[in-house]
Amino acid sequence: MAHEQHQQLLQALHECMEECNHCFNACLQEDDVKMMAECIRLDRECADICSYLEQAISRKSPYVSELASVCAKICEDCGKECDKHDSEHCKKCAEACFKCAEACKKVS
Amino acid sequence: MAHEQHQQLLQALHECMEECNHCFNACLQEDDVKMMAECIRLDRECADICSYLEQAISRKSPYVSELASVCAKICEDCGKECDKHDSEHCKKCAEACFKCAEACKKVS
Amino acid sequence: MAHEQHQQLLQALHECMEECNHCFNACLQEDDVKMMAECIRLDRECADICSYLEQAISRKSPYVSELASVCAKICEDCGKECDKHDSEHCKKCAEACFKCAEACKKVS
Amino acid sequence: MAHEQHQQLLQALHECMEECNHCFNACLQEDDVKMMAECIRLDRECADICSYLEQAISRKSPYVSELASVCAKICEDCGKECDKHDSEHCKKCAEACFKCAEACKKVS
């Protein structure tokens, strides 16, 4: 993986993790939490795998490609779920997820 | 830390992590998710720190005592929140949390 | 995933995580640490993915199958590396890794 | 925690995690790995807690203060160990660790 690609992916993962956790927290405070249940679940899935992959890339894990492939899928699913909702935290999260999915696909 | 104490703590952490994640998942499927919002939040906090501490103990981290102290507090808070609710997954989770908090206090 | 299969996998992951972290710590205390460098690296990779997958299974993550597939590969690589060395911690770790790889393959 | 302080801490944690993992990987490739054993151990401890705290802050965990207190201690210990060695990766890691320890202390 070229150095620039590596830095772009790390940045995308970091932003995605932050937005997913921000969205997780904001969803739990919505009036209609039930409507956000799948979003809450996927926000956690996505934040966790992004955080994991950040560490894996940083330590030059031999498994970055396989992990990035799983991460791309989770980011896409989380982005699609978030995109169904109108709140700003969901829209921003969806954007970060789709951007991260693209970055992951380049190394998977 | 004596070997037996070590094994008891690992077991308590593992059970607590499992129950918290089970409760997290079950809460997201309840009819009244809003009522479970704090439970969902604390289940994640508690599962994550228990899982982290399991790894720290296993690798003989020099920081087991400090981490166990934080873990005990999170387990107690999560146990108290779960104990407010009537569903079986919350009651079982509360029990695992309180047991784990006690085990953590012995090494913190 | 059937309940029994689920419990077997959780148990295999937990034992593998413990053995990998034990081996990681023991390798760092060997006389010839250089010879154990790849073992140290893979022990961390393997402990981390096993711990991650334990949590994913416990929260009924929709991505257990994909994660288990990556985990199986890491367990196999770690087991093969450990198996090259004669120390008891490496042999025990290799055994736990191979057992865990098999359990992962059943759900991947 | 004020927004600016929050962003500074997230940045410090992220850089520290990256440097620790970079140092972990570089130490494993040194000629004299034995001399780096404690550095390797602490790099992992430090990268893991920084990554954990990044997530905790991002999801507005109620335990940021307690976790930051443990993280500050680990960062300091890791920085001191790295600072004993002459290689560039150790010096850069020490710097990131000390900076992160300071940022953690402000919120602990």
Side-chain angles (χ1 to χ4, degrees):
Chain A
M1 189 172 11
H3 183 71
E4 200 186 343
Q5 200 178 30
H6 175 282
Q7 284 303 319
Q8 278 176 3
L9 178 51
L10 278 177
Q11 189 59 32
L13 288 163
H14 188 71
E15 282 171 21
C16 190
M17 178 276 282
E18 277 202 63
E19 291 300 339
C20 285
N21 277 324
H22 178 67
C23 189
F24 175 89
N25 179 55
C27 284
L28 285 173
Q29 297 173 68
E30 290 278 353
D31 286 332
D32 188 351
V33 187
K34 191 171 180 57
M35 193 176 68
M36 315 310 288
E38 201 56 22
C39 203
I40 292 165
R41 179 193 306 279
L42 289 173
D43 281 338
R44 183 184 179 193
E45 293 289 330
C46 196
D48 282 1
I49 195 73
C50 286
S51 173
Y52 192 94
L53 183 52
E54 274 188 83
Q55 280 230 63
I57 293 169
S58 300
R59 70 180 176 244
K60 297 212 194 308
S61 161
Y63 307 102
V64 166
S65 169
E66 290 87 344
L67 291 163
S69 169
V70 182
C71 191
K73 186 178 178 184
I74 299 177
C75 286
E76 272 188 2
D77 289 354
C78 188
K80 281 178 199 164
E81 177 61 33
C82 283
D83 215 18
K84 291 181 193 166
H85 304 286
D86 291 327
S87 36
E88 201 198 336
H89 58 82
C90 283
K91 291 296 176 201
K92 283 184 70 178
C93 189
E95 199 184 327
C97 287
F98 291 138
K99 198 174 155 186
C100 192
E102 289 312 304
C104 284
K105 280 179 199 167
K106 284 182 195 159
V107 302
S108 64
Chain B
M1 187 173 9
H3 182 71
E4 199 187 344
Q5 200 176 30
H6 175 281
Q7 284 303 319
Q8 278 176 2
L9 178 51
L10 278 177
Q11 189 59 32
L13 287 163
H14 188 71
E15 282 171 20
C16 190
M17 179 276 282
E18 277 202 63
E19 291 299 339
C20 284
N21 277 325
H22 179 67
C23 188
F24 174 89
N25 179 54
C27 284
L28 285 173
Q29 296 173 69
E30 290 277 353
D31 286 333
D32 188 351
V33 187
K34 191 171 180 57
M35 193 176 70
M36 313 312 286
E38 201 56 20
C39 201
I40 292 166
R41 179 193 305 281
L42 290 173
D43 281 338
R44 184 184 177 191
E45 293 290 330
C46 197
D48 282 1
I49 195 72
C50 286
S51 174
Y52 192 94
L53 183 52
E54 273 187 83
Q55 280 231 61
I57 293 168
S58 300
R59 70 180 176 245
K60 297 213 193 308
S61 163
Y63 307 102
V64 166
S65 169
E66 290 88 343
L67 291 164
S69 169
V70 181
C71 192
K73 186 177 177 185
I74 298 177
C75 286
E76 273 188 0
D77 289 354
C78 187
K80 281 178 198 162
E81 177 60 33
C82 283
D83 215 16
K84 291 180 193 167
H85 304 285
D86 291 329
S87 34
E88 199 198 335
H89 58 82
C90 283
K91 292 296 177 204
K92 281 184 70 176
C93 189
E95 199 185 327
C97 287
F98 292 138
K99 197 173 156 187
C100 191
E102 289 314 302
C104 284
K105 280 179 197 164
K106 284 182 193 159
V107 301
S108 64
Chain C
M1 190 173 8
H3 183 71
E4 199 186 345
Q5 199 177 30
H6 176 283
Q7 284 303 319
Q8 278 177 2
L9 179 52
L10 278 177
Q11 190 58 31
L13 288 163
H14 188 70
E15 281 170 22
C16 190
M17 180 276 284
E18 277 202 63
E19 290 300 339
C20 284
N21 277 324
H22 179 67
C23 189
F24 174 89
N25 179 55
C27 284
L28 285 172
Q29 296 172 68
E30 290 278 353
D31 286 330
D32 188 351
V33 187
K34 192 171 178 59
M35 194 177 68
M36 314 311 287
E38 202 56 21
C39 201
I40 293 166
R41 180 194 304 280
L42 290 173
D43 281 338
R44 183 184 178 192
E45 293 290 330
C46 197
D48 282 2
I49 196 72
C50 286
S51 174
Y52 192 95
L53 184 52
E54 272 187 84
Q55 280 231 61
I57 293 169
S58 300
R59 71 181 175 244
K60 297 209 194 310
S61 162
Y63 307 103
V64 166
S65 168
E66 291 87 343
L67 291 164
S69 169
V70 182
C71 192
K73 186 178 177 183
I74 299 177
C75 287
E76 273 188 1
D77 290 354
C78 187
K80 280 179 200 164
E81 177 61 32
C82 283
D83 215 17
K84 292 180 194 167
H85 305 286
D86 291 328
S87 36
E88 199 197 336
H89 56 83
C90 283
K91 291 296 176 203
K92 282 184 71 176
C93 189
E95 198 184 329
C97 287
F98 291 138
K99 197 174 156 187
C100 191
E102 289 313 303
C104 284
K105 279 179 198 166
K106 284 183 193 157
V107 302
S108 63
Chain D
M1 189 173 9
H3 182 72
E4 200 186 343
Q5 200 176 29
H6 175 281
Q7 284 304 319
Q8 277 176 3
L9 179 52
L10 277 177
Q11 189 59 32
L13 288 163
H14 187 70
E15 282 170 21
C16 190
M17 179 276 282
E18 276 202 63
E19 291 299 339
C20 285
N21 278 325
H22 179 68
C23 189
F24 174 89
N25 179 53
C27 284
L28 285 173
Q29 296 172 68
E30 290 278 353
D31 286 332
D32 189 350
V33 187
K34 191 171 179 60
M35 193 177 70
M36 314 311 288
E38 201 56 21
C39 203
I40 293 165
R41 179 193 306 280
L42 290 173
D43 281 338
R44 184 185 178 190
E45 294 289 330
C46 197
D48 281 2
I49 195 73
C50 286
S51 174
Y52 192 94
L53 183 51
E54 273 188 83
Q55 280 230 62
I57 293 169
S58 300
R59 70 179 176 243
K60 296 210 193 311
S61 162
Y63 307 102
V64 166
S65 169
E66 291 86 345
L67 291 163
S69 169
V70 181
C71 191
K73 185 177 178 187
I74 299 176
C75 286
E76 273 188 1
D77 289 354
C78 187
K80 280 179 199 163
E81 178 60 32
C82 283
D83 215 16
K84 291 179 193 167
H85 306 285
D86 291 328
S87 36
E88 202 200 333
H89 58 81
C90 282
K91 291 296 176 202
K92 282 185 71 176
C93 189
E95 199 183 327
C97 287
F98 292 138
K99 198 173 155 188
C100 191
E102 289 313 303
C104 284
K105 281 179 196 165
K106 283 183 194 159
V107 302
S108 66

